[in-house]
Amino acid sequence: MKNKYGFVFGMLIVIAVLSYALTSVYVTNSKGNKTEDNIKVVTSFYPVYIAAMNVMDGAENVTLENLSEPQTGCLHDYQLTPADMKLLESADVFLVNGGGIESFLADVAEAYENLEIKYVTDGIDFIEDEEETNAHVWMDIDNYLIEVENICDLMSEIDPDNKEIYESNRDAYMESLNELVEEKEELGSAVSENGMSAALLQESFVYLCETLGVDVVYTMDLDEERQVSAGEVADTMAAVNDNDGAVIFTDELYGADLAETVSKETGATVCIIDPCVRGDYEKDSYINAMTANFSAVREALLK
Ligand SMILES: [Zn+2]
């Protein structure tokens, strides 16, 4: 009898020790998983990345990377590189602009079934010209504010542990952006008082003109390295000649030569605008670019 109880008691101790040991192993394991279980967020290109880095700054267990290089520019006809594919394969969330600017999106959705593709432009009205969607919505600061709000909501849902950080980052960024909104409104009033019309060498400037009340007399899509046709030169020239005082909006990289040529012939003012598709990975990049854009438009207005 005595031996029997001793055996049961012994077994109970063995079970207790085993359970403790197993629980410890389990707890250590789940802790191990937790640190490995980083959420990897990838953005498609520059303006989405700058907005996301502001919202996600300082959040733990979540990383942010951009698909394309900071100097890639607009993604029209962009081909995914092997490095891009590797990055997407390891990503959990892909934040995109939409409107057709990421032409590779259907292939990505098919190739990476577990990747969550999220549109940061939900609720934004895209401008349609000639049945084509103009995807460059970030050039209207009011749209950009919606993007920041959307990124905060999306990330809070995906990663509720960091919700408070996302929300306080959003609030801080919104406050800085609000100064820019005030500047835009002042400039918009000046534009409507004086009147301003513009020939645009890039489609993205349509959004800037819309938000400032600038009358668009001509648009071409010179946002990548390509040959400008004689017809396009003639059309730009004619648009400027037909609209007395029209200003030419161009970027520094692709349109500046054409703008200079037309300006020499017509005497039109050239206004250099930053399309915010390339630059440094700095939190202030969007604000700095748009501040410079508003100054450029103001200067052209005063000429
Ligand atoms: Zn573009």
Side-chain angles (χ1 to χ4, degrees), residues 99-119:
I101 212 162
E102 295 97 352
S103 50
F104 47 79
L105 214 49
D107 295 335
V108 167
E110 201 179 336
Y112 312 104
E113 282 176 8
N114 295 324
L115 183 65
E116 282 196 69
I117 299 176
K118 299 284 187 190
Y119 291 84

Side-chain angles (χ1 to χ4, degrees), residues 74-76 101 136 138 202-204 223 277:
C74 254
L75 291 184
H76 315 282
I101 212 162
H136 311 81
W138 65 90
Q202 264 204 31
E203 285 176 304
S204 65
D223 63 357
V277 289

Side-chain angles (χ1 to χ4, degrees), residues 12-86:
L12 280 176
I13 287 176
V14 168
I15 289 168
V17 168
L18 267 181
S19 331
Y20 177 72
L22 283 174
T23 311
S24 312
V25 167
Y26 179 72
V27 168
T28 321
N29 249 346
S30 46
K31 266 187 195 154
N33 280 342
K34 187 88 189 157
T35 44
E36 272 171 30
D37 218 22
N38 266 352
I39 300 172
K40 191 162 178 178
V41 180
V42 173
T43 51
S44 58
F45 73 128
Y46 192 73
V48 184
Y49 181 83
I50 298 301
M53 83 183 282
N54 275 280
V55 173
M56 291 167 64
D57 188 37
E60 282 184 11
N61 296 324
V62 55
T63 55
L64 175 68
E65 283 187 63
N66 193 26
L67 185 70
S68 48
E69 294 297 318
Q71 301 303 329
T72 298
C74 254
L75 291 184
H76 315 282
D77 306 319
Y78 180 73
Q79 301 284 331
L80 292 179
T81 65
D84 291 335
M85 290 181 213
K86 212 171 156 188

